[in-house]
């Protein structure tokens, strides 16, 4: 049995969609897990497993890099260009190198969010090549019940 058939069967059993919208949701959830799981109260800044795993020297960075590499692998499956893939892999590699600095590595990890940058690249690619998978982000604003007409006064 070819390996791709095996993975397709596992994906079907796990109810993992291979359509762009499903991939987008998975990548967004992984980015949230790695970069924005908790809010640091005093600093009012979000952190995730990427920073927390820095408490484990080398092993924590390797796990965070592996999870970041999974995002790059999912992007590869979307057909992103080699240049984009290289940039994304470079982001993950640079993040790994920063995190490998003992005890101090969490500080640059706090500011350099490779997974967030990679997610932005993937979203741009999806919005351009798969517009049906686009998600409109924004804020709901209540409309004024009595709007002022153009060039006029309220009645």
């Amino acid at each position: 049995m070819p390996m791709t058939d095996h993975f397709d069967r596992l994906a079907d059993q796990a109810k993992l969609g291979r359509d762009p919208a499903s991939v987008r949701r998975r990548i967004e959830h992984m980015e949230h897990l790695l970069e924005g799981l908790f809010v640091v109260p005093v600093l009012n800044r979000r952190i995730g497993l990427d920073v927390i795993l820095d408490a484990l020297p080398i092993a924590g960075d390797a796990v965070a890099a592996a999870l970041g590499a999974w995002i790059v692998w999912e992007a590869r499956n979307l057909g992103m260009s080699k240049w984009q893939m290289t940039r994304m892999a470079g982001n993950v590699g640079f993040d790994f190198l920063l995190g490998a600095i003992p005890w101090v590595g969490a500080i640059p990890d706090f500011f350099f969010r490779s997974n967030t940058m990679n997610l932005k690249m993937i979203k741009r690619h999806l919005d351009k090549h798969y517009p049906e998978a686009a998600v409109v982000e924004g804020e709901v604003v209540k409309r004024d019940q009595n709007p002022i007409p153009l060039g006029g006064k309220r009645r």
Side-chain angles (χ1 to χ4, degrees), residues 89-111:
N91 286 340
V92 173
F94 186 66
D95 192 13
F96 174 74
L97 290 175
L98 288 175
I101 303 169
W103 304 112
V104 181
I107 295 169
D109 235 1
F110 189 69
F111 297 104

Side-chain angles (χ1 to χ4, degrees), residues 62-108:
V63 170
L67 293 172
W70 176 81
I71 292 175
V72 177
W73 179 76
E74 282 278 20
R76 178 193 149 278
N77 291 338
L78 289 172
M80 293 182 72
S81 72
K82 288 184 180 184
W83 169 244
Q84 290 170 317
M85 301 298 299
T86 303
R87 285 182 57 200
M88 292 172 66
N91 286 340
V92 173
F94 186 66
D95 192 13
F96 174 74
L97 290 175
L98 288 175
I101 303 169
W103 304 112
V104 181
I107 295 169

Side-chain angles (χ1 to χ4, degrees), residues 33-80:
L33 179 71
L34 290 171
E35 305 289 4
L37 202 52
F38 307 103
V39 175
V40 178
V42 176
L43 302 174
N44 198 25
R45 183 131 168 118
R46 298 193 73 77
I47 64 167
L49 285 181
D50 197 13
V51 173
I52 295 168
L53 287 170
D54 278 333
L56 300 170
I58 308 298
D61 298 314
V63 170
L67 293 172
W70 176 81
I71 292 175
V72 177
W73 179 76
E74 282 278 20
R76 178 193 149 278
N77 291 338
L78 289 172
M80 293 182 72

